[in-house]
Amino acid sequence: MITDIKSNDNYYNLSGKIYWPLFDCEVSVRIGQGKDVSIEYAEQCVSQLLKLDNAELQSLMRASISYFQDEEKCHREPIEMLFEFEGMPYPEGFEQPEQILPYIKPVEIYIDQEIPDCYSVSIFSECAWEPEHGLQWVVRNGKALFVGAAQGLGSHGEEILYLEIWKDTNYLIPNF
């Protein structure tokens, strides 16, 4: 599943790639954050991401739409499509949450450490509505934990980090 695995000399011990059918693209995977993480464990983490049930996918997409709409309210004008999103039509009507997917480009999946029975990933994506901070999703054991601006939150933080400490920026929590 994870291909092109290489040893790194930097912050993450290993890197590789996966193909993510949801976005029809290859995405980099960073493994280890200075700790030993087995390839088998990393593949289990990525596998749970690739096999999310429809309800969780819908939740991630709806939260991403909320993030888009909140950014637009803050700017008080329609979002301008920049960089790789330039020239794309302005998104209209999000009745089908999948309509947000063309405006998201996953860049890297992070697996920070190996914890038994805790399969967690942090995904950094570029997005059309926030070119500076992008979009971060954190998914653990098949459940979405965080959707919002990339905060540099790792994949294996305590749940309180995503659900309490960063709750004001977590679009999965209905406070917007």
Side-chain angles (χ1 to χ4, degrees):
M1 174 184 326
I2 300 175
T3 61
D4 298 331
I5 298 169
K6 297 176 183 150
S7 182
N8 291 334
D9 294 328
N10 56 15
Y11 197 61
Y12 282 86
N13 297 344
L14 299 171
S15 65
K17 295 179 181 180
I18 61 128
Y19 173 74
W20 196 349
L22 181 66
F23 294 96
D24 189 27
C25 69
E26 276 195 336
V27 182
S28 294
V29 180
R30 303 282 181 236
I31 305 166
Q33 198 175 29
K35 298 178 173 97
D36 288 331
V37 174
S38 70
I39 297 302
E40 295 79 17
Y41 178 81
E43 287 191 337
Q44 287 179 303
C45 289
V46 171
S47 177
Q48 60 94 30
L49 173 66
L50 299 179
K51 296 177 184 175
L52 286 175
D53 69 32
N54 191 49
E56 287 303 314
L57 282 172
Q58 296 291 313
S59 179
L60 287 164
M61 289 183 281
R62 280 194 296 282
S64 298
I65 290 167
S66 293
Y67 177 27
F68 171 87
Q69 291 169 333
D70 192 49
E71 282 297 308
E72 192 167 65
K73 284 180 199 170
C74 288
H75 292 280
R76 296 189 177 134
E77 61 187 10
I79 298 293
E80 181 182 353
M81 302 297 145
L82 300 172
F83 306 113
E84 70 269 18
F85 303 100
E86 190 171 358
M88 289 182 68
Y90 183 81
E92 304 256 343
F94 288 119
E95 298 81 29
Q96 300 296 320
E98 295 82 8
Q99 292 175 313
I100 194 69
L101 294 178
Y103 301 92
I104 299 172
K105 180 185 175 201
V107 176
E108 291 185 310
I109 297 170
Y110 300 95
I111 302 160
D112 298 337
Q113 57 185 303
E114 187 166 333
I115 299 174
D117 301 318
C118 178
Y119 303 105
S120 194
V121 292
S122 175
I123 303 103
F124 171 75
S125 298
E126 294 173 351
C127 60
W129 60 92
E130 180 44 277
E132 185 176 340
H133 297 105
L135 170 68
Q136 182 173 12
W137 290 356
V138 177
V139 177
R140 177 170 300 153
N141 295 335
K143 302 288 182 202
L145 281 180
F146 182 86
V147 172
Q151 307 283 347
L153 302 174
S155 63
H156 284 71
E158 296 290 327
E159 284 191 22
I160 192 170
L161 177 68
Y162 312 107
L163 302 176
E164 292 294 324
I165 295 171
W166 289 96
K167 71 180 180 184
D168 292 338
T169 61
N170 188 346
Y171 286 84
L172 285 169
I173 299 171
N175 60 355
F176 293 96

